[in-house]
Amino acid sequence: MNIAVCVKHAIDESELRADPSGNPQLKGAQAKMSTFDRSAVEEAVRIREAKTGTVTVVSLGTGDWKKSIKEALAMGSDRAVAVNSSEAQLDALATSYYLSRAIRQIGAVDLVILSEGASDTYQGLVGPMVAEWLKLPFMGFVRKLELREGVVKAELALEGHEEVAEADLPAVVSVLSEINSPRYPTLLQIMQASKKPIEEVTLESLRGADAPKGGVRVLDVRVQSMNRKKVIFEGTPEESADKLVEALQKEGVI
């Protein structure tokens, strides 16, 4: 079972700060492997452990994005393809194109795993777009995977209901974070990861005649403001509790 898993080196949203005007301070912001991508890597490694085969990490980025690649290797992946992007911004369509081209270069792949979305932008577009570029079936929002001979069966957690679907392999899936609990690599695994092969390629080497021209540009990003009402309920604990319930009911919370 040969698996490709896509990983993004994303801004650590938990450490992100905003200036007084609401603009996120991206300069000097810390970055890490996208939180949701850790579940995708974990699922790929678990399948490899059960079925044998190879797990190849595919990541597109610039700067220190190889840190996330090395973390994925330490978690148990076997090798990596690092797509060095010289372009500061690639929209979801362009990102999915270059990821799919890199996946094609790997060779025969039985399963491509992505997360439900990146933890910094959470668009959820790259997974289905990769499937379209590769002309493979796609199943999204997967919370459980089962592999049989030539077939992948999945439980999908959709809005308001659940579905069970299956597709012939090769296929592309995007998994929810609830599908597993990602492992934390040991010091020995981190050291061993430095010896695993990382093939670095450029956008230019992957670009074909069908390469999309970026059609979406991010013009502005603002932090959502949160203003607390600072309501204080006075009285005995019982009276305060009754007032709190009444206020929540008026707000439609309960």
Side-chain angles (χ1 to χ4, degrees), residues 95-113:
T95 298
S96 64
Y97 172 81
Y98 290 109
L99 288 175
S100 66
R101 298 279 290 192
I103 291 169
R104 286 188 184 278
Q105 284 197 359
I106 294 172
V109 172
D110 301 294
L111 187 64
V112 180
I113 302 179

Side-chain angles (χ1 to χ4, degrees), residues 4-8 37 40 56 58-59 99 103 112-115 130:
V5 58
C6 297
V7 166
K8 180 181 181 181
D37 287 350
T56 302
V58 182
S59 182
L99 288 175
I103 291 169
V112 180
I113 302 179
L114 303 95
S115 66
V130 166

Side-chain angles (χ1 to χ4, degrees), residues 111-251:
L111 187 64
V112 180
I113 302 179
L114 303 95
S115 66
E116 58 189 284
S119 56
D120 56 352
T121 57
Y122 200 75
Q123 293 181 347
L125 299 174
V126 173
M129 287 180 173
V130 166
E132 184 66 22
W133 286 115
L134 295 175
K135 302 188 185 307
L136 295 177
F138 172 78
M139 293 186 290
F141 302 102
V142 174
R143 70 177 187 184
K144 185 178 180 180
L145 276 176
E146 179 183 337
L147 287 133
R148 302 193 304 269
E149 190 65 34
V151 174
V152 56
K153 182 179 179 181
E155 289 185 10
L156 316 181
L158 305 178
E159 186 173 353
H161 70 285
E162 301 171 358
E163 290 183 6
V164 177
E166 66 177 30
D168 293 334
L169 295 175
V172 180
V173 298
S174 67
V175 299
L176 296 172
S177 55
E178 65 188 74
I179 195 170
N180 57 47
S181 296
R183 69 192 71 187
Y184 288 92
T186 64
L187 178 59
L188 177 60
Q189 290 170 325
I190 294 172
M191 294 173 63
Q192 291 173 337
S194 63
K195 300 179 182 179
K196 294 181 178 180
I198 300 177
E199 178 188 357
E200 186 168 338
V201 297
T202 63
L203 293 185
E204 290 71 22
S205 67
L206 296 174
R207 186 175 291 127
D210 58 344
K213 296 179 180 178
V216 178
R217 292 184 296 115
V218 178
L219 301 179
D220 192 21
V221 178
R222 294 292 177 91
V223 175
Q224 185 176 2
S225 61
M226 295 178 62
N227 297 316
R228 299 184 182 276
K229 294 186 177 181
K230 300 178 182 178
V231 178
I232 299 175
F233 300 103
E234 298 181 346
T236 65
E238 292 78 10
E239 291 172 342
S240 298
D242 290 338
K243 293 176 182 178
L244 173 60
V245 170
E246 183 180 355
L248 292 175
Q249 287 175 336
K250 287 182 179 180
E251 294 288 339

Side-chain angles (χ1 to χ4, degrees), residues 11-18 24-27 29-30 221 223:
I11 292 173
D12 188 348
E13 70 283 358
S14 66
E15 299 293 332
L16 196 59
R17 298 292 181 266
Q25 297 177 327
L26 300 179
K27 186 177 181 179
Q30 296 297 312
V221 178
V223 175

